[in-house]
């Protein structure tokens, strides 16, 4: 009798489990179908004009079909499909989402701490946990996106892996932010970018921000570690004061990175020497390069190496370098390199106001637009993905009140932001 009761109970449990499983599968399939149906719905975006940043043209009354996060079709007078979601920006100018090729989202300095040399970097490294820095990055990522920056490259000074965590959180939809291309710790000469410290402190602190390179083996190992940690690209500090990585070390870094399909960004200052070493090694971009000569810039143009200026306003020698770069036909990718706290303006607003530096140097509005969209788009993601409004590209779109070909400062007041087909603002 007991056996019969047990068997009957087991049978009922099996039946109930199967029924529950069938119900779960039905709901899952139905949900999956509804999701698929929703993603197949076309979004139709209409605007007053589209700025063709590649050719410097203004296309009047454009109509864009957007599906599954990408631009499907662009034209004028296109019909509106049944059931389409309509976005009417008929009084606005649209252009590709802005791109910042040199940011530090998990990094924040304070002006008052500059009274003591090196205080900012030590305090940041010691006091902030990886979680603190990732959350700080979340704040600045949101500010960048709300100002129209749909993609950014974060080049370190983010602790061990805070920027990687930030990127992953954005990709999972936990928080909003630009599409992130991140490095892990920068590869550098001994000491990184820290001021002189006692040996005991060096051993504890420097490795939190930099991987120190002292041999070719160190160089290869560091790149492999960065790849394992989740880097999208590699950042190298070619020189820090009198310490300069060797050509052999730089070549090893680039070789290892290219084997994994990653590009290398080279922080290079102090004249032509460090940049020449990086160029010979085959890097993809020179960061800063404040006073590069025409000869070096010409070599960069021949090798399709990008210049990412991060200039303060009003510095004549920086402006002359921009003029030489334009004359040499070097591709310029905008980089804000902002990391100082400012209570009166957001990080994104500060970045957008930086285009005035390029204007002061004599760049045309079209050249500035290209440096803010198509050039960094190619540098960060390769061709055919971001930085232009063309069929097959991600639907990263911003809108402004005025034609930026006439007034570049209109980029400081972005009124509409779409990232990958989703309206953000």
């Amino acid at each position: 009798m007991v056996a019969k009761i047990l068997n009957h109970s087991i049978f009922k449990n099996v039946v109930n489990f199967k029924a529950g499983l069938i119900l779960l599968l039905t709901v899952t399939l139905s949900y999956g179908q509804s999701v698929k149906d929703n993603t197949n719905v076309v979004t139709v975006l209409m605007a007053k004009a589209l700025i063709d940043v590649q050719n410097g043209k203004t296309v009047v009354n454009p109509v864009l079909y957007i599906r599954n996060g990408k631009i499907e079709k662009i034209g004028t007078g296109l019909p509106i499909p049944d059931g389409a979601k309509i976005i009417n920006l008929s009084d606005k100018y649209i252009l590709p989402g802005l791109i910042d090729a040199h940011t530090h989202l998990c990094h924040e300095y304070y002006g008052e701490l500059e009274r003591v040399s090196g205080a900012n970097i030590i305090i940041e490294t010691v006091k902030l946990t990886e979680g603190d820095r990732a959350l700080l990055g979340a704040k600045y990522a949101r500010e960048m996106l709300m100002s129209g920056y749909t993609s950014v490259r974060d080049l370190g000074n983010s602790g061990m892996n805070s920027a990687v965590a930030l990127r992953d959180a954005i990709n999972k939809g936990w928080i909003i932010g630009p599409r992130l291309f991140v490095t892990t710790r920068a590869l550098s000469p001994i000491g990184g970018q820290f001021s002189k410290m006692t040996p005991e402190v060096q051993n504890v602190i420097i490795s939190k921000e930099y991987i120190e390179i002292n041999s070719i083996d160190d160089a290869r190992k560091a790149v492999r570690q960065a790849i394992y940690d989740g880097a999208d690209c590699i950042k190298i500090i070619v020189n820090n004061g009198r310490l300069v990585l060797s050509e052999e070390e730089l070549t090893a870094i680039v070789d290892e990175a290219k084997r994994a399909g990653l590009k290398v960004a080279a922080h290079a200052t102090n004249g032509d020497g460090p940049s020449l070493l990086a160029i010979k090694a085959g890097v993809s971009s020179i960061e800063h390069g404040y006073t590069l000569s025409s000869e070096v810039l010409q070599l960069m143009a021949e090798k399709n190496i990008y210049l990412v200026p991060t200039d303060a306003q009003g510095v004549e020698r920086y402006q002359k370098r921009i003029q030489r770069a334009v004359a040499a036909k070097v591709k310029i990718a905008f980089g804000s390199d902002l990391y100082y706290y400012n209570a009166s303006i957001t990080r994104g607003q500060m970045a957008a106001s930086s285009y005035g530096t390029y204007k002061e140097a004599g760049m045309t509005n079209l050249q500035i637009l290209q440096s803010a969209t198509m050039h960094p788009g190619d540098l960060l993601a390769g061709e055919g993905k971001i930085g232009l409004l063309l069929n097959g590209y991600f639907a990263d779109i911003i809108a402004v009140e005025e034609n930026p070909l006439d007034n570049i400062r209109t980029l400081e007041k972005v009124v509409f932001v779409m990232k990958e087909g989703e309206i953000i603002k």
Side-chain angles (χ1 to χ4, degrees), residues 106-110 113 118-134 136 156-162 185-186 191-195 197 200-211:
C106 304
H107 183 34
E108 184 177 74
Y109 279 1
Y110 291 86
L113 292 179
N120 259 309
I121 190 170
I122 292 175
I123 289 173
E124 182 177 60
T125 305
V126 171
K127 287 187 66 67
L128 297 186
T129 66
E130 294 297 306
D132 291 333
R133 298 184 80 162
L136 176 67
N157 294 108
S158 56
M160 296 288 284
N161 287 309
S162 297
R185 292 171 293 169
Q193 292 175 294
F194 283 93
S195 301
M197 296 181 290
E200 298 82 6
V201 175
Q202 290 177 36
N203 295 334
V204 174
I205 293 180
I206 295 173
S207 63
K208 291 180 177 293
E209 286 288 295
Y210 302 94
I211 302 180

Side-chain angles (χ1 to χ4, degrees), residues 82-377:
D82 293 339
K85 176 183 177 181
I86 299 173
I87 300 173
N88 189 349
L89 300 174
S90 56
D91 59 343
K92 304 292 188 294
Y93 295 84
I94 62 171
L95 64 151
L98 302 174
I99 303 173
D100 190 335
H102 193 121
T103 64
H104 300 284
L105 298 181
C106 304
H107 183 34
E108 184 177 74
Y109 279 1
Y110 291 86
E112 56 267 30
L113 292 179
E114 287 301 299
R115 296 173 185 173
V116 179
S117 177
N120 259 309
I121 190 170
I122 292 175
I123 289 173
E124 182 177 60
T125 305
V126 171
K127 287 187 66 67
L128 297 186
T129 66
E130 294 297 306
D132 291 333
R133 298 184 80 162
L135 289 170
L136 176 67
K139 170 196 172 185
Y140 285 134
R142 185 182 187 280
E143 291 182 0
M144 292 294 286
L145 182 60
M146 296 304 287
S147 290
Y149 289 90
T150 52
S151 295
V152 307
R153 185 175 61 164
D154 191 285
L155 290 180
N157 294 108
S158 56
M160 296 288 284
N161 287 309
S162 297
V164 172
L166 175 62
R167 177 202 63 199
D168 293 348
I170 291 171
N171 290 345
K172 291 173 182 176
W174 296 352
I175 57 175
I176 67 167
R179 182 180 298 102
L180 282 189
F181 300 83
V182 305
T183 64
T184 52
R185 292 171 293 169
L187 283 53
S188 74
I190 297 297
Q193 292 175 294
F194 283 93
S195 301
K196 187 177 179 181
M197 296 181 290
T198 64
E200 298 82 6
V201 175
Q202 290 177 36
N203 295 334
V204 174
I205 293 180
I206 295 173
S207 63
K208 291 180 177 293
E209 286 288 295
Y210 302 94
I211 302 180
E212 297 171 284
I213 306 301
N214 204 30
S215 69
I216 294 173
D217 286 343
D218 282 353
R220 293 191 180 278
K221 182 179 178 181
V223 175
R224 292 169 186 168
Q225 184 67 54
I227 294 167
Y228 177 80
D229 289 340
D232 298 307
C233 51
I234 302 297
K235 164 81 174 291
I236 53 177
I237 307 296
V238 180
N239 63 302
N240 181 28
R242 292 182 296 173
L243 290 170
V244 183
L245 294 179
S246 70
E247 185 176 340
E248 293 77 15
E249 290 166 341
L250 293 169
T251 300
I253 290 168
V254 174
D255 179 61
E256 285 293 331
K258 285 185 175 179
R259 198 192 324 244
L262 303 188
K263 294 180 179 179
V264 177
H267 163 112
T269 57
N270 296 356
D272 287 348
S275 292
L276 270 175
L277 289 171
I279 291 166
K280 289 178 182 178
V283 301
S284 296
S285 63
I286 297 294
E287 314 296 311
H288 315 302
Y290 295 117
T291 57
L292 293 177
S293 67
S294 296
E295 292 75 18
V296 170
L297 290 164
Q298 185 61 50
L299 186 61
M300 289 173 61
E302 292 170 4
K303 293 179 175 290
N304 198 33
I305 296 172
Y306 291 73
L307 174 65
V308 184
T310 57
D311 300 351
Q313 289 189 327
V315 183
E316 186 178 1
R317 66 181 184 277
Y318 298 170
Q319 295 172 359
K320 288 187 178 299
R321 180 270 270 107
I322 289 279
Q323 294 164 9
R324 292 193 295 269
V326 170
K329 294 183 168 51
V330 173
K331 291 180 180 177
I332 295 175
F334 170 76
S336 64
D337 194 23
L338 296 168
Y339 47 87
Y340 275 89
Y341 174 75
N342 190 324
S344 63
I345 188 172
T346 72
R347 183 74 66 91
Q349 290 168 335
M350 282 193 286
S353 68
S354 300
Y355 299 123
T357 304
Y358 290 9
K359 188 73 174 176
E360 286 179 354
M363 290 177 67
T364 67
N365 288 349
L366 176 58
Q367 288 169 338
I368 296 171
L369 284 173
Q370 290 173 341
S371 77
T373 55
M374 61 179 281
H375 288 333

